Amino acid sequence: MSDDSNMLFAKGEYNKSYEQYFIGKSYLNFLSKEQVFVANVTFEPACRNNWHIHNADEGGGQILICTHGEGWYQEWGKEARSLKVGDVVNIPAGVKHWHGAKKDSWFSHLAIEVPAKNGSNTWLEPVTDEEYLKLHG
């Protein structure tokens, strides 16, 4: 279990509501549900979310600010990007992507939902073990 004492934000509760969209366990700590939605998302080692798309008629997308450990971010058709504390990822609406922890590290990021007109998420297929393990050599 990750030691919350060295994390910028508390890990939060087990993410039961979205567990069907993750391989491994994730935790969710809602920091703001007003004006702009902000959550601290924590992934256990090797946990990652499914491929997904943030949809919007206008605006939308998501910003990730990495706050603990090491992780991955990948857009469909592109190489995965290694993430560490302090990295920022801007994800435009309509971009298929996934993010999660490296296999040997807990990982946390702030997830900031960019305000959107008719915003929604489309959850897609899991990132397979074969795809994921290729990132680790």
Side-chain angles (χ1 to χ4, degrees):
M1 186 70 68
S2 177
D3 177 9
D4 282 11
S5 66
N6 64 358
M7 294 175 69
L8 187 57
F9 297 99
K11 178 172 69 178
E13 299 297 320
Y14 173 63
N15 190 3
K16 177 99 174 127
S17 297
Y18 289 88
E19 70 182 349
Q20 69 269 29
Y21 306 121
F22 286 76
I23 293 175
K25 290 185 179 176
S26 67
Y27 301 82
L28 198 54
N29 178 8
F30 293 107
L31 303 176
S32 174
K33 293 183 180 181
E34 298 176 21
Q35 295 173 297
V36 175
F37 177 87
V38 180
N40 184 60
V41 183
T42 299
F43 302 78
E44 70 178 358
C47 177
R48 67 264 188 197
N49 54 31
N50 290 3
W51 290 97
H52 59 286
I53 299 170
H54 303 281
N55 306 296
D57 291 342
E58 291 179 23
Q62 188 177 55
I63 301 168
L64 307 179
I65 301 174
C66 305
T67 61
H68 179 80
E70 294 186 37
W72 294 107
Y73 168 78
Q74 186 174 19
E75 292 182 3
W76 187 257
K78 295 184 179 180
E79 293 293 318
R81 175 179 163 190
S82 179
L83 300 175
K84 63 185 184 322
V85 173
D87 287 343
V88 176
V89 180
N90 288 280
I91 308 164
V95 172
K96 183 176 178 179
H97 68 283
W98 69 271
H99 33 104
K102 290 195 174 178
K103 70 178 180 179
D104 56 356
S105 178
W106 283 82
F107 177 62
S108 296
H109 63 58
L110 297 183
I112 302 167
E113 296 296 325
V114 177
K117 181 178 179 183
N118 297 320
S120 66
N121 291 335
T122 301
W123 289 98
L124 304 164
E125 70 274 12
V127 176
T128 66
D129 287 344
E130 182 182 7
E131 290 173 299
Y132 180 76
L133 292 174
K134 282 182 186 175
L135 301 176
H136 297 282

